[in-house]
DNA sequence: TGATTTAGGTTACGCGCGTTACTCAATGGC
DNA sequence: GCCATTGAGTAACGCGCGTAACCTAAATCA
């Protein structure tokens, strides 16, 4: 194939793309001059006229900088990589949204790579390593590692070759900085809301008691009760499978165990899916929400919380904020600044709807 | 800052990264030889020994190719770009998942850029243009454009500089190829399922009648009925707002309008959110699902369909498949192959759960 | 025996751009 | 009238890599 000159405007498909050289020729200056005006160099001296001529040429030819070449020459890619199982299990997409918005503001690009690491020490570590490897080949300046649910993870060693920040998870090996939701404060604010509404007997539908979410939220609940001079009745804490069915069954247990007088007047469901099931159990018994029983959830899964009837009051996980904070932290790290803390806690705001 | 030699292994942070030159020196060969073995050139002749020496050097130094430099030299980036509002409105994330999985298989990288174009002719066209511009600066080989819900869109002109495929939307200007769900077939399979279960009087909770989803699904429903020798009673088609509340109200209308004898025995809700509301209306009246009234939805929004009680039988939108097909189509286009069709329809499979 | 092929490489160029060092004319100071 | 400075730009190198063209000694062929 003969080398084609690229001087023709918008011609056949797959043309060579106009370069700075083309712009330079068109403007009758050196390529260096073009580079200088395009990158707005302070100390370079280019007259207003030639500057204008160059800009015209840029417009006329439809010049578009080649990011790859720029990265090669300047030794900075302006890319961050984010490796996450969220692509495959989209529970916490808002992390990506938050990160991407922030990256966009910082004029960085976010490269998203999938990881299928279902649990801390998953079977297909392979894909994850490959993903990180690919990101490093793109010369990302930093790495974000995000999980769908708050937990400890083992990050492949290769990640440590560039600054790395964990989002919605923490380094089980305790080396990398992380950003996680403040579960405890969230649990606290939930129960405080119930107390404020006058509830004194509060049932709790718990998650798997070993996961950070359960530990933190429950601790927060206890704190809130303690401050009100109350104690959490162990009888009122029932474990549930983290699904609507699990919530239904747990709620049935609680509701059927007591007489109308002893029955708790409020239910703190440690996630929204379980709250969804609890709704059914409550309605089934002819009780009303929030009249007879108030319900408060956790997670703020829009599709559930905003569409249940009545709409569910719940505590939101700050996915978007965590994503943004992750990028900010990464920016600080790549700039060589010291990090603020090994683990940054992000608040979980209460979302008032109609179930309390 | 003095130029540092890069011969030292894994030293201080921010070191220069080992290049092919380093590998070449270490192996005592020319850089070209390294390039040849790394890219597995068929027609190049390198002895097994030197090949081995080179591979050893690669291992020893931890060499990692620089994707940017490679792209620059070879004039192909191996990247596709996908611009989508899904990042900000994550209803259809599975499109991204499907696309990314397929891209991964094809050894391509997917660059995801956000678009905030809420409707066909949105106000912040600006962000979208900027996003596409950024992608083109990265020299993506092709562009995917994905929407959260099936509709016509106007794609910025700049997109036409590289092969472009639309996913879950179509080009209102009729130029670009697209991949959309087969709404009609979906509506058909839903009603067929109800007919098969013995239902003859079927109520329909409709969406905004102008959108492609409503048009197609309703047409499909009519087809299915026609084949069974039935006609859709216009009285039984009630419009609803596309939310749980909308579904609730529409269902109330239908249920309260008729006596027990005339009442439809099944409800086809044109999306799962409305089905969620319909559930409430039905239960509220002491009726059971599917015993008294069968319900079938559309969209397969996991969080709803899989967690409603009873679990919702629904028709799934083939997001993942559309994403994958988008990448495949793009691959064909960039390879210069003719496209199969301007608009590819992807089937919507019925998901049997427990509400019919 | 001389000509040709082949294995096993190497030299050199260019991809598009950032950047440092340099040139060259015009100006200013004294 | 001579040197120093400044304004306005340019030449040239290198970023890390793909690749066409070339080279050399040994093997093969007529």
């Amino acid at each position: 194939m003969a080398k084609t000159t690229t001087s023709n405007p918008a011609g056949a498909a797959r043309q060579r793309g106009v370069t700075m050289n083309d712009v330079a020729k068109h403007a009758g200056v050196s390529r260096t001059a073009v580079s200088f005006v395009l990158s707005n160099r302070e100390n370079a001296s280019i007259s207003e006229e030639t500057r204008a001529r160059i800009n015209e040429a840029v417009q006329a030819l439809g010049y578009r900088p080649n990011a790859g070449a720029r990265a090669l020459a300047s030794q900075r890619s302006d890319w961050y990589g984010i490796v996450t199982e969220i692509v495959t299990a989209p529970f916490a997409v808002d992390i990506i949204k938050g990160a991407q918005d922030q990256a966009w503001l910082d004029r960085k690009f976010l490269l998203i790579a999938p990881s299928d690491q279902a649990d801390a020490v998953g079977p297909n570590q392979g894909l994850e390593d490959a993903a990180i490897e690919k990101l490093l080949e793109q010369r990302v300046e930093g790495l974000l590692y995000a999980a769908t649910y708050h937990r400890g993870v083992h990050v492949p060693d290769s990640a440590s070759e560039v600054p790395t920040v964990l989002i919605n998870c923490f380094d089980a090996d305790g080396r990398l900085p992380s950003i996680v939701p403040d579960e405890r404060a969230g649990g606290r604010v939930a129960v405080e809301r119930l107390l404020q509404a006058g509830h004194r007997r509060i049932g709790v539908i718990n998650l798997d008691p070993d996961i950070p979410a359960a530990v933190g939220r429950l601790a927060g609940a206890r704190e809130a009760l303690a401050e009100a001079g109350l104690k959490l009745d162990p009888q009122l804490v029932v474990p549930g499978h983290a699904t609507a069915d699990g919530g239904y069954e747990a709620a049935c247990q609680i509701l059927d165990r007591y007489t109308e007088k002893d029955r708790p007047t409020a239910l703190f469901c440690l996630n929204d899916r379980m709250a969804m099931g609890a709704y059914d159990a409550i309605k089934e018994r002819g009780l009303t929400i929030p009249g007879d029983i108030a319900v408060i959830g956790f997670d703020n899964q829009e599709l559930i919380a905003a569409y249940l009837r009545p709409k569910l009051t719940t505590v939101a996980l700050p996915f978007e904020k965590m994503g943004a904070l992750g990028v900010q932290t990464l920016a600080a790290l790549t700039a060589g600044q010291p990090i603020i803390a090994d683990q940054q806690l992000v608040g979980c705001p209460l979302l008032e709807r109609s179930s309390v």
Side-chain angles (χ1 to χ4, degrees), chain A:
Chain A
M1 195 183 301
K3 214 171 271 186
T4 60
T5 63
T6 58
S7 54
N8 66 326
R14 203 50 37 87
Q15 76 176 29
R16 194 59 153 232
V18 14
T19 76
M20 282 181 82
N21 253 318
D22 302 326
V23 175
K25 274 179 205 157
H26 187 118
V29 297
S30 74
R31 193 183 57 68
T32 306
V34 178
S35 176
F36 283 173
V37 348
L38 285 187
S39 54
N40 272 321
R41 275 176 73 103
E42 308 263 325
N43 50 354
S45 55
I46 308 282
S47 73
E48 277 311 311
E49 301 125 67
T50 56
R51 191 178 297 270
R53 273 218 317 289
I54 289 175
N55 282 324
E56 278 166 26
V58 165
Q59 289 296 324
L61 299 183
Y63 170 75
R64 191 182 349 254
N66 181 322
R70 172 177 292 174
L72 185 58
S74 66
Q75 296 287 66
R76 44 195 300 266
S77 64
D78 283 341
W79 289 336
Y80 295 146
I82 179 168
V83 17
T84 170
E85 76 232 0
I86 293 172
V87 183
T88 55
F91 173 63
V93 252
D94 284 340
I95 292 178
I96 296 184
K97 169 168 165 44
Q100 199 155 46
D101 286 354
Q102 183 64 44
W104 193 261
L105 287 179
D106 295 354
R107 302 178 176 284
K108 300 286 181 186
F109 227 102
L110 202 61
L111 272 173
I112 305 176
S115 106
D116 267 341
Q117 195 186 23
D119 39 87
V121 194
N124 40 10
Q125 193 83 23
L127 173 61
E128 182 162 314
D129 284 355
I132 293 183
E133 194 63 21
K134 278 288 172 203
L135 291 178
L136 291 176
E137 285 183 10
Q138 310 292 341
R139 296 300 187 265
V140 293
E141 296 174 1
L143 231 35
L144 256 22
Y145 189 104
T148 48
Y149 69 94
H150 187 174
R151 66 176 198 266
V153 297
H154 292 279
V155 180
D157 287 343
S158 49
S160 56
E161 295 186 24
V162 300
T164 300
V165 175
L166 307 196
I167 301 179
N168 201 33
C169 54
F170 55 89
D171 185 3
D173 307 323
R175 287 186 291 243
L176 301 168
S178 59
I179 293 166
V180 295
D182 191 345
E183 312 273 10
R184 174 188 292 251
R188 185 174 182 136
V189 76
V191 170
E192 280 172 356
R193 177 67 187 88
L194 294 177
L195 289 170
Q196 176 207 328
H199 298 282
R200 288 296 171 267
R201 228 172 128 60
I202 298 174
V204 175
I205 300 186
N206 200 4
L207 288 164
D208 173 348
D210 291 333
I211 64 174
V215 175
R217 292 169 196 181
L218 213 53
R222 286 214 175 80
E223 280 181 19
L225 286 169
E227 277 184 10
L230 300 173
K231 266 197 76 176
L232 188 57
D233 179 353
Q235 292 281 318
L236 283 179
V237 180
V238 318
H241 191 239
T243 62
D245 279 342
Y248 174 80
E249 280 157 25
C252 288
Q253 269 189 44
I254 295 188
L255 295 176
D256 295 342
R257 188 186 297 160
Y258 299 96
T259 65
E260 193 177 329
K261 302 214 162 182
D262 299 333
R263 198 171 54 202
T265 61
L267 243 39
F268 175 24
C269 303
L270 260 61
N271 80 20
D272 288 354
R273 296 210 295 278
M274 297 194 305
M276 187 173 175
Y279 263 50
D280 275 341
I282 294 170
K283 290 181 181 172
E284 219 175 73
R285 280 158 185 71
L287 303 173
T288 64
I289 306 170
D292 297 316
I293 298 199
V295 175
I296 195 163
F298 211 113
D299 285 1
N300 189 36
Q301 294 204 297
E302 284 286 329
L303 235 38
I304 293 178
Y307 290 121
L308 279 176
R309 316 187 52 258
K311 300 188 201 308
L312 179 65
T313 293
T314 189
V315 179
L317 284 171
F319 289 130
E320 215 172 312
K321 194 175 282 182
M322 289 194 292
L325 190 54
V327 169
Q328 288 171 348
T329 306
L330 207 49
L333 279 177
T334 54
Q337 295 169 23
I339 62 169
I340 306 144
D342 280 349
Q343 175 150 304
Q344 295 181 67
L345 294 178
V346 182
C348 301
L350 177 72
L351 251 71
E352 296 268 8
R353 290 204 180 85
S354 320
S355 65
V356 172

